[in-house]
Amino acid sequence: TDKDYPLETRLVNALFASGFSNIQIKINVNDIWVEAQDNRYFYVTKAVDVILKIVNDISPQHIDNIHIIMNSNGIPLFKFSTIRADIIDWRSEKLTNDEIIYLSKFDPTFTESPSTRIFHQDFFDYGLKPSLENYLNDPSGFFKYRFGLAIWGSYHPWKGSTFLAQPDWYPINNISTSTPPLIDPVRSDIVLYKEKNLSLSRLMFDQVYKASHELYGRLSAGYLEVQYAGLYGEVATSFMAGRVMLGVGGSAVRKRDPDNAFKLSDDFTQIYKTAFLNSRLNIPEYDVALDVKAGRFLAGDKGAKFTISKFINGVTISAWYSLTDTSDLKDPSNRGYHDKGILVTIPIRLFRGTDSKTSYSYVLTPWTRDVAQDVNQYESLFDFIGRNIKKFFDKDSKWMNWNR
């Protein structure tokens, strides 16, 4: 029976069956450390809840202190430490969710994983999901679109690393244009890429690193998005329990050939450079985030892009507006223009009836201008950190629903 196996084996089997991978277990007298990657639960507090239940039910009574380390692709996000006595009181409803979190310790500065064997390590990942993209405001038709599948496969050979390939297939596609691109286009010529039914959106390498004091770094190289190839680097950190995030980032990229997925453009050989100071103000009391990206954009225009996001039961609705100096842009259609748009991200858990981390995103914005444009990132560091901060962990405590 399962009870005949060693404690480590029983814990690993239970965690893997519950939706976790990259599992490490360390036991030292009265302390137990559990590190794992959440592959199933939308809210990290629910993932912590599940691990606490497993450890409490399986561990022998002499285990007094429980330390949970949540990681993403091997990068520790935080350590949550509590004592067995508090868990017992919480389970018997003598303590509320808020009270056990208050009595526990949340440490986002944690960087060192237990030096033990990694079980069920995620070297490979793959998936597909529906993709709907639009092309607005073209003279030949206000609303054009393409619908199909976004497919991806990734390989993670070491901590924080990702080799990613993302081909896309759009069997339903009416995107076209009756007008030539603007002068010196950086995004207004995207129709040349989107009119293709088959495309290779990404073929790239990405490395994330976490240092002390909540300092994250990231470097990406390769075909970064459907239109650009090159390098993208970023550094970010957070303050005030995650209420404020600050970072810097930038890129050096070239245009890809719209007719050959594995070739750079022969018509546009220049290197486009960007540089930004990024900031985010999280307001967990209202589940609102305010982002400012200030610096040099792809077309050389300097200024800022402002984004406000509202989180509603897992759905995130974002809207943005830009203010940049367009006086040096050659095409009159770009001068005086302000980029704007809406992004909606919907978790699949709303439709499945079961928990899932997968979300679908839809962007509504014109692609007919070149103002305030940046390389579409694989994942920004702000989004990598996400809600894995003290302020949002406290906010999401309601998902630690032991008895439900």
Side-chain angles (χ1 to χ4, degrees), residues 23-94:
I23 303 166
Q24 291 180 264
I25 308 291
K26 181 180 178 181
I27 303 170
N28 184 11
V29 189
N30 298 326
D31 288 72
I32 185 169
W33 286 263
V34 177
E35 177 165 348
Q37 174 175 296
D38 168 28
N39 300 321
R40 179 179 299 176
Y41 306 100
F42 186 80
Y43 291 94
V44 71
T45 46
K46 178 60 180 176
V48 169
D49 168 62
V50 172
I51 295 175
L52 285 175
K53 183 177 188 302
I54 290 172
V55 174
N56 185 72
D57 288 349
I58 295 178
S59 298
Q61 292 302 313
H62 72 268
I63 297 295
D64 294 325
N65 305 305
I66 298 173
H67 312 277
I68 297 174
I69 304 158
M70 300 304 303
N71 74 53
S72 178
N73 196 15
I75 302 295
L77 298 170
F78 64 83
K79 181 176 72 170
F80 179 84
S81 301
T82 189
I83 63 174
R84 192 76 167 271
D86 288 343
I87 295 176
I88 293 172
D89 286 344
W90 174 50
R91 187 174 187 177
S92 61
E93 299 186 355
K94 294 179 182 178

Side-chain angles (χ1 to χ4, degrees), residues 134-154:
N134 62 72
Y135 184 70
L136 301 179
N137 287 350
D138 189 78
S140 64
F142 172 76
F143 183 85
K144 294 190 174 184
Y145 62 92
R146 62 177 186 170
F147 178 77
L149 294 174
I151 308 163
W152 73 91
S154 58

Side-chain angles (χ1 to χ4, degrees), residues 309-361:
S309 302
K310 172 65 176 175
F311 184 85
I312 308 171
N313 295 326
V315 177
T316 302
I317 302 174
S318 303
W320 70 86
Y321 189 84
S322 72
L323 291 171
T324 64
D325 181 5
T326 60
S327 59
D328 291 335
L329 302 187
K330 294 181 181 180
D331 199 293
S333 298
N334 283 324
R335 290 198 289 268
Y337 183 77
H338 303 280
D339 185 52
K340 60 192 76 72
I342 297 173
L343 168 67
V344 180
T345 302
I346 304 174
I348 193 176
R349 68 195 294 268
L350 296 181
F351 308 103
R352 289 179 52 179
T354 57
D355 217 337
S356 173
K357 295 189 72 176
T358 303
S359 297
Y360 297 137
S361 296

Side-chain angles (χ1 to χ4, degrees), residues 16 28 60 76 134 157 209 226 245 266 276 308 338 347 366 369 384:
F16 181 67
N28 184 11
N134 62 72
Y209 177 77
V226 70
M245 295 182 180
D266 292 328
F276 298 106
I308 181 170
H338 303 280
R369 297 292 191 277
F384 180 83

